[in-house]
Amino acid sequence: MTEDQHRRWVGSMPDVYDRCLADAVFRPFAVDVARRAARLRPSRVVEVAAGTGVATAELLAATPEAHLTATDLNPAMVEAGEERVAAAAWQRADASSLPFDDGVFDLVVCQFGVMFFPDRPAAYSEFRRVLAPSGHVLVNTWDRIDTHGFARVLVEGLERALTGDVPAFLAQVPHGYADPQVVVGDLRGAGLEVESVETVTLEGRAASAADVATGFCTGTPLRGEIEARGDLDETTRLVAAHMTAVLGEGPVSAAMTAHVVQARR
């Protein structure tokens, strides 16, 4: 897949992503990042790569006095986010060229979006540009696949379903920016002062392993890689069966690890 395809959510993908993955995979970390944001007491916040608004909703709840602007590159995500979290001001924006004046925000938040940026130094420079003096940045990024209980078992299922021809998306993109020192170096290279780096492990809970399989296989850019290799429905079924065999029937849980970095201008 091209870099552009790795960043693209189209058609029904945002709905599936939100229904199957938002609460199970992303909300625990959204609560964590919102708690960190509240400690900074911002009055003007911009969220970059906001997706369908999982972290957006938590940021609004944790910083009720702040004005929150939520952005995403994908029009389908912006449309979904506007519908789900209408209290935020939504607009389409490319992280490497933010459509805002200099120094207008106290806080830039990016939950699990930095891995998708094709030019991270440019994006971090934009984060710095739009920050007011002493403004802050909060970003998180996934650790390695083997530290993510859902993704690890998902990849095992893909290996079985696709006889070893495993799509590279998960390893290259969501889990491809897993070294916190690389993240720190990129932020510092953009002129930001890194204040803290914390590795956090939280529990994700889903109604079923099949829901998680459906979310990843049909609600993320992994979908395109599966379709290029074979039948999407059959592959999703086989992956769901493997995940259910490993994680169990009914509600399932898994530990997930990410790195959270706080920096300031």
Side-chain angles (χ1 to χ4, degrees), residues 133-199:
S134 299
H136 287 84
V137 171
L138 279 172
V139 302
N140 57 13
T141 181
W142 293 117
D143 197 3
R144 304 178 315 277
I145 285 180
D146 61 4
T147 69
H148 193 296
F150 289 133
R152 175 180 55 79
V153 181
L154 178 86
V155 170
E156 291 174 358
L158 287 169
E159 289 173 344
R160 289 168 175 254
L162 299 172
T163 60
D165 185 18
V166 180
F169 170 72
L170 286 174
Q172 288 184 350
V173 186
H175 295 275
Y177 198 40
D179 185 343
Q181 292 312 307
V182 174
V183 182
V184 168
D186 288 345
L187 288 164
R188 286 175 175 163
L192 291 159
E193 176 188 347
V194 175
E195 296 182 308
S196 65
V197 182
E198 186 176 350
T199 299

Side-chain angles (χ1 to χ4, degrees), residues 96-111:
S96 64
S97 182
L98 294 173
F100 306 114
D101 292 335
D102 296 355
V104 293
F105 296 105
D106 304 305
L107 176 63
V108 177
V109 177
C110 187
Q111 161 147 303

